[in-house]
């Protein structure tokens, strides 16, 4: 059983989702969010993200990790902050010895909904269905992170099937 950590990076809320995959089916194991306090000190905010991801890595011991690419349609300042958060997330996972994959938003949305332009609510609904989560997943960042992990499991498995 492979355990995958999905991370949805955000400047205020970074979602995480842990799933298990046997190569044919996946199920949610844990999910939640790392909430970053507002403030001008980006370094301190990045430390909060690093500490939170470190706690998730320690608690759930994933085998692999996946993150979503930075959406370039944002303004430059927002994209730079997200790139910093994403870099911290990738560094934490790599430091823990994990391979870290990266997927576009369209790939992630397409893997759970069948089309790359799905809205956040549709992603959450599909993630609940696909991963067998009974309760409402909150915040949306957590369902996005589970979608990233699900995307990784599916694309990883399809690549292996090709040989």
């Amino acid at each position: 059983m492979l355990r995958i950590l999905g991370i949805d990076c955000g400047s205020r809320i970074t979602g995480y989702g842990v799933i298990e995959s046997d190569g044919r089916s996946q199920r949610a194991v844990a999910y939640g969010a790392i909430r970053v306090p507002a403030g001008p000190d980006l370094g301190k905010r990045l430390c909060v993200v690093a500490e939170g991801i470190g706690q998730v890595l320690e608690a759930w011991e994933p085998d692999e990790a996946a993150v979503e690419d930075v959406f370039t349609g944002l303004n430059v300042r927002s994209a730079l902050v997200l790139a910093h958060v994403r870099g911290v997330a990738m560094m934490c996972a790599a430091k823990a010895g994990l391979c870290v994959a990266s997927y576009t938003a369209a790939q992630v949305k397409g893997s759970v909904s069948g089309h790359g332009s799905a809205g956040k609510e549709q992603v959450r609904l599909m993630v609940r269905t696909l991963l067998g989560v009974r309760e409402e997943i909150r915040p949306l960042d957590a369902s996005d992170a589970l979608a990233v992990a699900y995307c990784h499991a599916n694309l990883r498995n399809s690549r292996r099937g090709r040989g």
Side-chain angles (χ1 to χ4, degrees):
M1 188 70 64
L2 183 71
R3 194 169 275 188
I4 301 167
L5 168 63
I7 303 171
D8 177 56
C9 299
S11 60
R12 299 281 184 236
I13 300 173
T14 290
Y16 67 87
V18 180
I19 69 169
E20 287 184 341
S21 175
D22 66 4
R24 283 177 271 168
S25 64
Q26 293 80 32
R27 72 176 186 92
V29 175
Y31 58 86
I34 301 160
R35 296 183 187 277
V36 181
D41 190 333
L42 180 59
K44 287 182 182 175
R45 290 169 37 210
L46 294 174
C47 284
V48 170
V49 173
E51 288 171 18
I53 291 173
Q55 291 171 359
V56 171
L57 289 165
E58 187 175 322
W60 298 105
E61 299 179 339
D63 301 300
E64 296 180 6
V67 298
E68 190 173 280
D69 286 340
V70 173
F71 179 63
T72 55
L74 301 170
N75 70 49
V76 174
R77 182 166 172 75
S78 295
L80 285 172
V81 171
L82 283 179
H84 287 304
V85 174
R86 186 171 177 274
V88 165
M90 294 178 78
M91 186 232 23
C92 288
K95 190 174 179 184
L98 307 183
C99 291
V100 184
S102 182
Y103 301 98
T104 66
Q107 284 177 300
V108 172
K109 291 174 182 181
S111 75
V112 297
S113 73
H115 61 89
S117 61
K120 285 185 168 286
E121 291 292 341
Q122 184 178 4
V123 168
R124 175 166 49 191
L125 177 64
M126 291 305 299
V127 164
R128 283 183 65 196
T129 301
L130 293 167
L131 297 177
V133 178
R134 292 187 177 154
E135 67 275 359
E136 192 72 20
I137 302 170
R138 295 209 184 271
L140 286 167
D141 309 86
S143 57
D144 288 348
L146 286 167
V148 172
Y150 182 86
C151 175
H152 178 66
N154 282 337
L155 292 179
R156 177 186 193 284
N157 292 335
S158 68
R159 284 192 302 264
R160 285 192 167 203
R162 285 187 247 156

